[in-house]
């Protein structure tokens, strides 16, 4: 493992060229480490700029060690949000159970930081050190004896020694290197909508509230300057909808939640209007192997744990740190380095995925009345186990 004071030796041969696809947490952290390791790094991001928005990111455990090794932990601490109280509510807004702001996690260092703040910290850390281009992606990827030939969406062709796919849940690199379709996607039986609104009158700041009925959940995250409005629902199988038709997705949420009380009518009214929201199936990515030849995956691209785990950002940063440590240890042997990366990190990934698929889904969105009653009993007893 890289130690906190240790700056890796330059191991890339004559500055081997490395390509990173995607400029989220996985891509920016991977680019940081590859540059430290001596690679000549290019990052391609499909969006026209860094993709902002979304709920805050939890930073704890090994993520803190890795951010310290990157020299970034003080900047993260400076942006840390106040600790938050998490409460489960019934239809009359009575609290069924809660996790205190300073109780359960008080013994371990743990922060929550806005997703955009962490993106800024990571992108500042690579600015001027790597080539970062937007509105561009990999069109074709071909491995030959000495490396990989890549054609970009704008037609440019270049050779790279290694390609790291950090392009998220619907990874383009995964599709090109491992085959298309949804064969590594595990649908978890539900969908999630999230809208951030610039108002603070729906709940107290630094508070999360969750209201559930069988198969449906409504969630509010309060901050001092904004509120996240979330809706989740269960389905037996994937539903057909047009990914580009935002009006259809908004109507679907409205139709599904229209008859609920608690704060739901106010939440629906507050989230109506524009198309700037997140809506997607809840899924994980589970692959038998995260690398093929000179291509390797980091973050959601290789092992999305789902929003239910609350750890997607951490997994991306830890994954990039593990890959860097493996490349430093085996600088002249990519297959061995990739194997070392996977062997070291896979057990933790699988543990988090399993927990999200079982306790996470059941606690946040119980499937029926019996499961809801059982979870509520645990919540009231302060025994959530999650
Ligand atoms: C805008 C946004 C909002 C999010 N909100 C939440 C949230 O509220 N809750 C939650 O749990 N998780 C959310 N996530 C997911 C969360 O950020 C990830 O689970 C986690 O940070 C892992 O990071 P990642 O870098 O692996 O993947 P991502 O954060 O998904 O980053 C992948 C990057 O790759 C880019 N990309 C995609 N396709 C291509 C391509 N073909 N070529 C090049 N680049 C490509 C994307 O534009 C993106 O910048 C959000 C992600 C995004 C992008």
């Amino acid at each position: 493992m890289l130690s906190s004071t240790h700056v890796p030796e330059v191991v890339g041969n004559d500055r081997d060229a490395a390509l990173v696809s995607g400029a989220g947490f996985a891509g920016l952290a991977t680019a940081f480490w590859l540059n430290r390791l001596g690679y000549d790094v290019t990052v391609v991001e499909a969006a026209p700029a860094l993709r902002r928005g979304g709920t805050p990111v939890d930073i704890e455990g090994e993520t803190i060690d890795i951010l310290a090794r990157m020299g970034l932990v003080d900047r993260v601490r400076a942006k840390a949000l106040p600790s938050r109280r998490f409460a489960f509510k019934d239809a009359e807004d009575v609290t069924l159970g809660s996790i205190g702001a300073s109780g359960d996690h008080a013994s371990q260092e743990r922060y929550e930081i806005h997703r955009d703040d962490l993106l800024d910290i990571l992108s500042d850390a690579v600015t001027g050190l790597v080539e970062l281009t937007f509105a561009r992606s990999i069109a074709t990827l071909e491995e030959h004896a000495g490396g990989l030939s890549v054609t970009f969406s704008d037609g440019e062709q270049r050779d790279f020694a290694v390609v790291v796919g950090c392009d998220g849940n619907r990874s383009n690199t995964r599709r090109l290197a491992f085959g298309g379709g949804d064969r590594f996607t595990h649908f978890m039986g539900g969908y999630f909508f999230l809208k951030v609104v610039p108002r603070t009158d729906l709940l107290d700041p630094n508070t999360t509230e969750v209201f559930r009925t069988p198969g449906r959940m409504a969630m509010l995250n309060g901050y001092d300057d904004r509120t996240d409005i979330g809706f989740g629902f269960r389905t037996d199988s994937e539903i057909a909808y047009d990914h580009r038709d935002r009006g259809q997705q908004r109507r679907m949420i409205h139709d599904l939640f229209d008859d609920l009380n608690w704060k739901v009518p106010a939440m629906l009214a507050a989230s109506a209007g524009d198309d700037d929201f997140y809506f997607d199936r809840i899924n994980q990515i589970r692959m038998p192997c995260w690398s093929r030849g000179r291509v390797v995956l980091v973050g959601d691209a290789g092992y999305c744990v789902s929003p239910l785990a609350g750890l997607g950002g951490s997994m991306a940063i830890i994954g990039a740190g593990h890959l860097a440590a493996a490349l430093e240890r085996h600088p002249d042997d990519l297959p061995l380095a990739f194997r070392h990366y996977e062997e070291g990190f896979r057990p933790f990934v699988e543990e988090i995925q399993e927990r999200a698929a079982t306790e996470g889904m059941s606690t946040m969105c119980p499937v029926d009345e019996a499961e809801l009653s059982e979870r509520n009993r645990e919540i009231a007893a302060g025994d959530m186990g999650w």
Side-chain angles (χ1 to χ4, degrees), residues 66-371:
I66 291 176
L67 287 167
R69 286 179 206 132
M70 296 170 84
L72 303 177
V73 78
D74 288 339
R75 288 196 62 192
V76 171
R77 282 192 187 116
K79 289 283 182 183
L81 293 164
S83 21
R84 117 182 345 268
R85 171 162 287 277
F86 191 108
F88 288 94
K89 297 284 191 171
D90 73 8
E92 276 71 47
D93 203 34
V94 173
T95 299
L96 301 168
S98 63
I99 304 172
S102 57
D104 312 75
H105 296 284
S107 57
Q108 70 183 78
E109 193 177 2
R110 181 175 184 272
Y111 313 104
E112 218 187 19
I113 173 171
H114 279 307
R115 197 174 171 279
D116 292 359
D117 288 334
L118 187 56
L119 270 184
D120 286 338
I121 291 169
L122 290 171
S123 72
D124 286 355
V126 297
T127 299
L129 299 174
V130 308
E131 180 193 350
L132 176 54
T133 56
F134 292 98
R136 201 166 183 235
S137 55
I138 303 172
T140 67
L141 196 58
E142 211 169 290
E143 186 153 350
H144 51 76
L148 288 148
S149 288
V150 172
T151 312
F152 293 102
S153 48
D154 57 8
E156 192 199 352
Q157 288 189 330
R158 273 164 72 179
D159 278 2
F160 293 92
V162 59
V163 171
V164 191
C166 301
D167 34 19
N169 195 4
R170 295 175 191 271
S171 170
N172 181 43
T173 311
R174 187 178 69 234
R175 180 178 61 79
L176 291 169
F178 297 83
D182 270 347
R183 70 198 171 100
F184 303 114
T185 301
H186 282 247
F187 178 59
M188 294 169 77
Y191 287 78
F192 187 61
F193 167 99
L194 187 97
K195 168 92 183 150
V196 184
V197 296
R199 47 190 281 187
T200 54
D201 56 334
L202 290 165
L203 78 170
D204 291 336
N206 313 319
T207 303
T208 291
E209 294 180 355
V210 179
F211 167 62
R212 297 145 313 135
T213 62
R216 289 179 287 176
M217 66 83 91
M219 181 191 79
L220 288 166
N221 289 325
Y223 312 97
D224 57 9
D225 60 347
R226 70 190 87 169
T227 301
D228 300 333
I229 297 177
F231 293 109
F233 61 92
R234 293 259 201 169
T235 57
D236 290 336
S237 54
E238 293 200 41
I239 51 176
Y241 69 96
D242 182 347
H243 294 266
R244 285 154 305 180
D245 187 345
R246 306 295 272 170
Q248 182 195 21
Q249 293 159 34
R250 235 183 301 113
R251 279 193 302 280
M252 194 171 5
I253 293 298
H254 209 276
D255 291 348
L256 272 165
F257 287 87
D258 213 12
D259 64 327
L260 292 192
N261 39 22
W262 187 59
K263 298 182 179 183
V264 171
M267 291 168 69
L268 287 172
S271 54
D274 65 59
D275 288 345
D276 183 18
F277 59 82
Y278 168 89
F279 178 74
D280 209 345
R281 65 187 171 194
I282 303 173
N283 74 275
Q284 295 180 334
I285 298 297
R286 298 186 181 202
M287 304 182 70
C289 181
W290 301 335
S291 63
R292 175 165 286 181
R294 291 173 174 270
V295 179
V296 63
L297 304 174
V298 175
D300 279 6
Y303 36 81
C304 174
V305 290
S306 88
L308 285 167
L311 280 171
S314 285
M315 301 309 269
I317 290 168
I318 301 173
H322 274 257
L323 177 62
L327 285 168
E328 189 194 25
R329 189 155 165 188
H330 304 289
D332 301 317
D333 192 339
L334 280 183
L336 189 57
F338 292 164
R339 204 162 68 236
H340 186 80
Y341 155 57
E342 184 157 343
E343 282 170 3
F345 192 38
R346 184 180 275 278
F348 183 57
V349 167
E350 290 184 349
E351 182 193 321
I352 299 296
Q353 287 189 325
E354 190 53 31
R355 209 160 66 204
T358 52
E359 286 126 343
M361 199 64 176
S362 170
T363 304
M364 291 302 285
C365 199
V367 69
D368 54 23
E369 200 64 65
E371 194 171 67

